[in-house]
Amino acid sequence: MSNSFGAEVAEGHYDIRKGAAAYAPIIGAFGALAIPTVTVLFTANKDSVPDKLVVLACGLLVVATIGSLTGSIGLAAIGAERDHTANLPAAVMYTAVPVAISIVSVLASFEVLAAIYLEQQKGLFAITTGVGGLAATYFTSFAVGDSWKSGPTDRDLRTEWSENEWIKDKEVAYSKADLVAAASAAPVVVGLILRLCGIHCGLTSRGANCLVAAGLVLSMAGTFAGVQRTKHAMHDSKQKGIRAWEAYSTSMGVGLYTLALLMFLP
């Protein structure tokens, strides 16, 4: 592709390092906002409130805090990268998991608080949780779209390297990004439809604990995998670009977690 001066360029792409660096402080601040709400829940009069609701609301806010803080640190590390290596889009997708879980958990905690204080309106907050989950799955899959730009800068080396890569060029990248977004959004859409039809499971104390545990596991798994994925290729090894199972597992994890919340929220 050539620009108006005849020079060969790749027109229009995001630098994932700059985006990660810009998002890091925003996400860190978002997680800190959950702490005052936890304090209010522990100090409020809850004589008539089932313990399982308080446990779930506090647990989801703690998950949000952990996910945001660890996610912001991971994104800051990616933003400090010097070269646009092929491992960075996959690292961003892994690191986006705790961030996405944080956003969905905060919205879900609002639904639980609504079940405590505004019981007639809890359905509305359940829908907002699902909508937040849709946004989270979309932004998690967004990294696939410009992953084609990362990798070796030498033209001959890149041609040979890209033959075995899942993402080979811009057209493939955008097509795969759409597929990942659609697949990961499907569980959320199913959950929203079921919730609108009034179909969901009854919440138990064990169910509340499982929802919080699932959020913690996904957040920590995404954080650790993201850190591992930032490791640079050695001098005698090839760069590892994003792989199909990485793209689908990260975004689908967020989608399935949102589905679980929609099914078990009170």
Side-chain angles (χ1 to χ4, degrees), residues 183-242:
S184 57
V188 185
V189 173
V190 170
L192 282 170
I193 293 173
L194 292 175
R195 193 77 193 204
L196 287 170
C197 294
I199 302 173
H200 63 96
C201 304
L203 179 68
T204 63
S205 296
R206 183 175 182 180
N209 293 334
C210 288
L211 286 176
V212 174
L216 288 173
V217 169
L218 285 173
S219 296
M220 290 299 94
T223 299
F224 292 142
V227 172
Q228 289 294 109
R229 208 60 169 86
T230 59
K231 288 184 176 179
H232 308 113
M234 302 299 289
H235 69 279
D236 57 347
S237 60
K238 293 183 179 180
Q239 295 185 33
K240 293 182 179 180
I242 191 170

Coordinates of all heavy atoms in Angstrom, one line a residue, residues 183-242:
A183 N -18.6 -14.6 18.7 CA -18.6 -15.8 19.4 C -18.7 -15.5 20.9 O -19.4 -16.2 21.7 CB -17.4 -16.7 19.1
S184 N -17.9 -14.6 21.4 CA -17.9 -14.3 22.8 C -19.1 -13.5 23.3 O -19.5 -13.6 24.5 CB -16.6 -13.5 23.2 OG -16.6 -12.3 22.4
A185 N -19.8 -12.8 22.4 CA -21.0 -12.1 22.8 C -22.2 -13.0 22.8 O -23.2 -12.7 23.5 CB -21.3 -11.0 21.8
A186 N -22.1 -14.2 22.2 CA -23.3 -15.1 22.1 C -23.7 -15.5 23.5 O -25.0 -15.5 23.8 CB -22.9 -16.3 21.3
P187 N -22.9 -16.0 24.4 CA -23.4 -16.3 25.8 C -24.0 -15.2 26.5 O -25.0 -15.4 27.2 CB -22.1 -16.8 26.5 CG -21.1 -17.1 25.5 CD -21.4 -16.2 24.3
V188 N -23.5 -14.0 26.3 CA -24.1 -12.8 27.0 C -25.5 -12.6 26.4 O -26.5 -12.3 27.1 CB -23.2 -11.6 26.8 CG1 -23.8 -10.4 27.6 CG2 -21.8 -11.8 27.2
V189 N -25.7 -12.7 25.1 CA -27.0 -12.5 24.5 C -28.0 -13.5 25.0 O -29.1 -13.2 25.3 CB -26.9 -12.5 22.9 CG1 -28.2 -12.5 22.3 CG2 -26.0 -11.4 22.4
V190 N -27.5 -14.7 25.1 CA -28.4 -15.8 25.6 C -28.8 -15.5 27.0 O -30.0 -15.6 27.4 CB -27.7 -17.2 25.6 CG1 -28.5 -18.2 26.3 CG2 -27.5 -17.6 24.1
G191 N -27.9 -15.0 27.8 CA -28.2 -14.7 29.2 C -29.2 -13.5 29.3 O -30.1 -13.5 30.1
L192 N -29.0 -12.5 28.4 CA -29.9 -11.4 28.4 C -31.3 -11.8 28.0 O -32.3 -11.4 28.6 CB -29.4 -10.3 27.5 CG -28.3 -9.4 28.0 CD1 -27.7 -8.6 26.8 CD2 -28.7 -8.5 29.1
I193 N -31.4 -12.7 27.0 CA -32.7 -13.1 26.6 C -33.4 -13.9 27.7 O -34.6 -13.7 28.0 CB -32.6 -14.0 25.3 CG1 -32.2 -13.2 24.2 CG2 -33.9 -14.7 25.0 CD1 -31.8 -14.0 22.9
L194 N -32.7 -14.8 28.4 CA -33.3 -15.6 29.5 C -33.7 -14.7 30.6 O -34.7 -14.9 31.2 CB -32.2 -16.6 30.0 CG -31.9 -17.7 29.0 CD1 -30.8 -18.6 29.5 CD2 -33.2 -18.6 28.7
R195 N -32.9 -13.7 30.9 CA -33.2 -12.8 32.0 C -34.4 -11.9 31.7 O -35.3 -11.7 32.6 CB -32.0 -11.8 32.3 CG -32.1 -11.1 33.6 CD -31.8 -12.0 34.8 NE -32.1 -11.4 36.0 CZ -31.6 -11.7 37.2 NH1 -30.7 -12.6 37.3 NH2 -32.0 -11.1 38.3
L196 N -34.5 -11.5 30.5 CA -35.7 -10.7 30.1 C -37.0 -11.6 30.1 O -38.1 -11.1 30.3 CB -35.5 -10.2 28.6 CG -34.5 -9.0 28.5 CD1 -34.3 -8.7 27.0 CD2 -35.1 -7.8 29.2
C197 N -36.8 -12.9 29.9 CA -37.9 -13.8 30.0 C -38.2 -14.2 31.5 O -39.1 -15.1 31.7 CB -37.7 -15.0 29.2 SG -37.6 -14.7 27.4
G198 N -37.4 -13.7 32.4 CA -37.6 -14.1 33.8 C -37.1 -15.4 34.2 O -37.4 -15.9 35.2
I199 N -36.1 -15.9 33.4 CA -35.6 -17.2 33.7 C -34.2 -17.1 34.3 O -33.3 -16.5 33.6 CB -35.5 -18.1 32.4 CG1 -36.8 -18.3 31.7 CG2 -34.8 -19.4 32.7 CD1 -36.8 -18.9 30.4
H200 N -34.0 -17.5 35.5 CA -32.7 -17.5 36.2 C -32.7 -18.4 37.4 O -33.8 -18.8 37.8 CB -32.3 -16.0 36.6 CG -33.2 -15.4 37.6 ND1 -32.9 -15.4 38.9 CD2 -34.3 -14.7 37.4 CE1 -33.8 -14.7 39.6 NE2 -34.7 -14.3 38.7
C201 N -31.6 -18.7 37.9 CA -31.5 -19.7 39.0 C -31.6 -18.9 40.3 O -31.2 -17.8 40.4 CB -30.1 -20.4 38.9 SG -29.9 -21.3 37.4
G202 N -32.0 -19.6 41.3 CA -32.1 -19.1 42.7 C -30.7 -19.0 43.3 O -29.9 -19.9 43.1
L203 N -30.4 -17.9 43.9 CA -29.1 -17.7 44.5 C -29.0 -18.3 45.9 O -29.9 -18.2 46.8 CB -28.8 -16.2 44.7 CG -27.5 -15.8 45.3 CD1 -26.3 -16.2 44.4 CD2 -27.4 -14.3 45.6
T204 N -28.0 -19.1 46.1 CA -27.7 -19.7 47.4 C -26.4 -19.2 47.9 O -25.6 -18.5 47.2 CB -27.6 -21.2 47.3 OG1 -26.5 -21.6 46.4 CG2 -28.9 -21.8 46.7
S205 N -26.1 -19.5 49.2 CA -24.8 -19.0 49.7 C -23.6 -19.6 49.0 O -22.6 -19.0 48.7 CB -24.7 -19.4 51.2 OG -25.7 -18.7 52.0
R206 N -23.8 -20.9 48.6 CA -22.7 -21.6 47.9 C -22.6 -21.0 46.5 O -21.5 -20.8 46.0 CB -23.0 -23.1 47.7 CG -22.0 -23.9 47.0 CD -22.3 -25.3 47.1 NE -21.2 -26.1 46.4 CZ -21.2 -27.4 46.3 NH1 -22.2 -28.1 46.8 NH2 -20.2 -28.1 45.7
G207 N -23.7 -20.6 45.9 CA -23.7 -20.0 44.6 C -23.0 -18.7 44.6 O -22.2 -18.3 43.7
A208 N -23.2 -17.9 45.6 CA -22.6 -16.6 45.8 C -21.1 -16.8 45.9 O -20.3 -16.0 45.3 CB -23.1 -15.9 47.0
N209 N -20.7 -17.7 46.7 CA -19.2 -18.0 46.9 C -18.6 -18.4 45.5 O -17.5 -18.0 45.2 CB -19.0 -19.1 47.9 CG -19.4 -18.6 49.3 OD1 -19.3 -17.4 49.6 ND2 -19.7 -19.5 50.2
C210 N -19.3 -19.2 44.8 CA -18.8 -19.7 43.5 C -18.6 -18.6 42.5 O -17.6 -18.6 41.7 CB -19.7 -20.8 42.9 SG -19.6 -22.4 43.8
L211 N -19.6 -17.7 42.5 CA -19.5 -16.5 41.6 C -18.3 -15.7 41.9 O -17.5 -15.2 41.0 CB -20.7 -15.7 41.6 CG -22.0 -16.2 40.9 CD1 -23.2 -15.3 41.2 CD2 -21.7 -16.4 39.5
V212 N -18.0 -15.4 43.2 CA -16.9 -14.6 43.6 C -15.6 -15.4 43.3 O -14.6 -14.8 42.7 CB -17.0 -14.3 45.1 CG1 -15.7 -13.6 45.5 CG2 -18.2 -13.4 45.4
A213 N -15.6 -16.7 43.6 CA -14.4 -17.5 43.3 C -14.1 -17.5 41.8 O -12.9 -17.4 41.4 CB -14.6 -18.9 43.8
A214 N -15.1 -17.7 41.0 CA -14.9 -17.7 39.5 C -14.3 -16.4 39.0 O -13.4 -16.4 38.2 CB -16.2 -18.0 38.8
G215 N -14.8 -15.3 39.5 CA -14.2 -14.0 39.2 C -12.7 -13.8 39.6 O -11.9 -13.3 38.8
L216 N -12.4 -14.3 40.8 CA -11.0 -14.3 41.2 C -10.1 -15.1 40.4 O -9.0 -14.7 40.0 CB -10.9 -14.7 42.7 CG -11.5 -13.7 43.7 CD1 -11.5 -14.3 45.1 CD2 -10.7 -12.4 43.7
V217 N -10.6 -16.3 40.0 CA -9.8 -17.3 39.3 C -9.5 -16.7 37.9 O -8.4 -16.7 37.4 CB -10.5 -18.7 39.2 CG1 -9.8 -19.5 38.1 CG2 -10.5 -19.3 40.5
L218 N -10.6 -16.2 37.2 CA -10.4 -15.6 35.9 C -9.5 -14.4 35.9 O -8.6 -14.3 35.0 CB -11.8 -15.2 35.3 CG -12.7 -16.4 34.8 CD1 -14.0 -15.9 34.4 CD2 -12.0 -17.1 33.6
S219 N -9.6 -13.6 36.9 CA -8.8 -12.4 37.0 C -7.3 -12.8 37.2 O -6.4 -12.2 36.5 CB -9.3 -11.5 38.2 OG -10.5 -11.0 37.9
M220 N -7.1 -13.7 38.1 CA -5.7 -14.1 38.3 C -5.1 -14.8 37.2 O -3.9 -14.7 36.8 CB -5.6 -14.9 39.6 CG -5.9 -14.2 40.9 SD -4.7 -12.8 41.2 CE -5.5 -11.4 40.5
A221 N -5.9 -15.7 36.5 CA -5.4 -16.5 35.4 C -5.0 -15.5 34.2 O -4.0 -15.7 33.6 CB -6.5 -17.5 34.9
G222 N -5.9 -14.5 34.0 CA -5.6 -13.5 32.9 C -4.4 -12.7 33.3 O -3.5 -12.5 32.4
T223 N -4.2 -12.4 34.5 CA -3.0 -11.6 34.9 C -1.8 -12.4 34.7 O -0.8 -11.9 34.1 CB -3.2 -11.1 36.4 OG1 -4.3 -10.3 36.5 CG2 -1.9 -10.3 36.8
F224 N -1.7 -13.6 35.3 CA -0.5 -14.4 35.2 C -0.2 -14.7 33.7 O 1.0 -14.7 33.3 CB -0.7 -15.7 36.0 CG -0.7 -15.4 37.5 CD1 -1.6 -16.1 38.3 CD2 0.1 -14.4 38.1 CE1 -1.6 -15.9 39.7 CE2 0.0 -14.2 39.4 CZ -0.8 -14.9 40.2
A225 N -1.2 -15.1 33.0 CA -1.0 -15.4 31.5 C -0.5 -14.2 30.8 O 0.4 -14.3 29.9 CB -2.2 -16.0 30.9
G226 N -1.0 -13.0 31.1 CA -0.6 -11.8 30.4 C 0.9 -11.5 30.7 O 1.6 -11.1 29.8
V227 N 1.3 -11.7 32.0 CA 2.7 -11.5 32.3 C 3.6 -12.5 31.6 O 4.6 -12.1 31.1 CB 2.8 -11.6 33.8 CG1 4.3 -11.5 34.2 CG2 2.1 -10.4 34.5
Q228 N 3.2 -13.7 31.6 CA 4.0 -14.7 30.9 C 4.1 -14.4 29.4 O 5.1 -14.6 28.8 CB 3.3 -16.1 31.1 CG 3.5 -16.7 32.5 CD 4.9 -17.0 32.8 OE1 5.5 -16.3 33.7 NE2 5.4 -18.0 32.2
R229 N 3.0 -13.9 28.8 CA 3.0 -13.6 27.4 C 3.9 -12.4 27.0 O 4.2 -12.2 25.8 CB 1.6 -13.4 26.9 CG 1.3 -13.7 25.5 CD 1.6 -15.2 25.2 NE 1.0 -15.5 23.9 CZ 1.7 -15.4 22.7 NH1 2.9 -14.9 22.7 NH2 1.2 -15.7 21.6
T230 N 4.2 -11.6 28.0 CA 5.1 -10.4 27.7 C 6.6 -10.9 27.6 O 7.4 -10.0 27.3 CB 5.0 -9.3 28.8 OG1 5.3 -9.9 30.0 CG2 3.6 -8.8 28.8
K231 N 6.9 -12.1 27.9 CA 8.3 -12.6 27.7 C 8.7 -12.4 26.3 O 8.0 -12.8 25.3 CB 8.4 -14.0 28.2 CG 8.3 -14.2 29.7 CD 8.5 -15.7 30.0 CE 8.5 -15.9 31.5 NZ 8.7 -17.3 31.9
H232 N 9.9 -12.0 26.1 CA 10.4 -11.7 24.7 C 11.0 -13.0 24.1 O 11.6 -13.8 24.9 CB 11.4 -10.6 24.7 CG 10.9 -9.3 25.4 ND1 11.4 -8.9 26.6 CD2 9.9 -8.5 25.1 CE1 10.8 -7.8 27.0 NE2 9.8 -7.5 26.1
A233 N 10.9 -13.1 22.8 CA 11.6 -14.2 22.2 C 13.1 -14.2 22.3 O 13.7 -13.1 22.2 CB 11.2 -14.2 20.7
M234 N 13.7 -15.3 22.5 CA 15.2 -15.4 22.6 C 15.8 -15.2 21.2 O 15.1 -15.3 20.2 CB 15.6 -16.7 23.2 CG 15.0 -16.9 24.6 SD 15.5 -15.7 25.8 CE 17.2 -16.1 26.0
H235 N 17.1 -15.1 21.2 CA 17.8 -14.8 19.9 C 17.6 -16.0 18.9 O 17.7 -15.8 17.7 CB 19.2 -14.5 20.1 CG 20.0 -15.7 20.6 ND1 20.0 -16.1 21.9 CD2 20.9 -16.5 19.9 CE1 20.8 -17.1 22.1 NE2 21.3 -17.4 20.9
D236 N 17.4 -17.2 19.4 CA 17.4 -18.4 18.6 C 15.9 -18.9 18.4 O 15.7 -20.0 18.1 CB 18.3 -19.5 19.1 CG 17.9 -19.8 20.6 OD1 17.2 -19.1 21.2 OD2 18.5 -20.9 21.0
S237 N 14.9 -18.1 18.8 CA 13.6 -18.5 18.7 C 12.7 -17.5 17.9 O 13.1 -16.3 17.8 CB 13.0 -18.8 20.1 OG 13.0 -17.6 20.9
K238 N 11.6 -17.9 17.4 CA 10.7 -17.0 16.7 C 9.7 -16.4 17.6 O 9.3 -16.9 18.7 CB 9.9 -17.9 15.6 CG 10.8 -18.4 14.5 CD 9.9 -19.1 13.5 CE 10.8 -19.7 12.4 NZ 9.9 -20.4 11.4
Q239 N 9.2 -15.2 17.2 CA 8.2 -14.5 17.9 C 6.9 -15.3 17.8 O 6.6 -15.9 16.7 CB 8.0 -13.1 17.4 CG 9.2 -12.2 17.6 CD 8.8 -10.8 17.1 OE1 7.7 -10.3 17.2 NE2 9.9 -10.1 16.6
K240 N 6.1 -15.3 18.9 CA 4.8 -16.0 18.9 C 3.7 -15.0 18.8 O 3.4 -14.4 19.8 CB 4.7 -16.9 20.1 CG 5.7 -18.1 20.1 CD 5.5 -19.0 21.3 CE 6.5 -20.1 21.3 NZ 6.3 -21.0 22.5
G241 N 3.0 -15.0 17.7 CA 1.9 -14.1 17.5 C 0.7 -14.7 18.2 O 0.7 -15.8 18.7
I242 N -0.4 -13.9 18.2 CA -1.6 -14.4 18.9 C -2.2 -15.6 18.2 O -2.1 -15.7 17.0 CB -2.7 -13.2 18.9 CG1 -3.8 -13.6 19.8 CG2 -3.1 -12.9 17.5 CD1 -4.8 -12.4 20.0

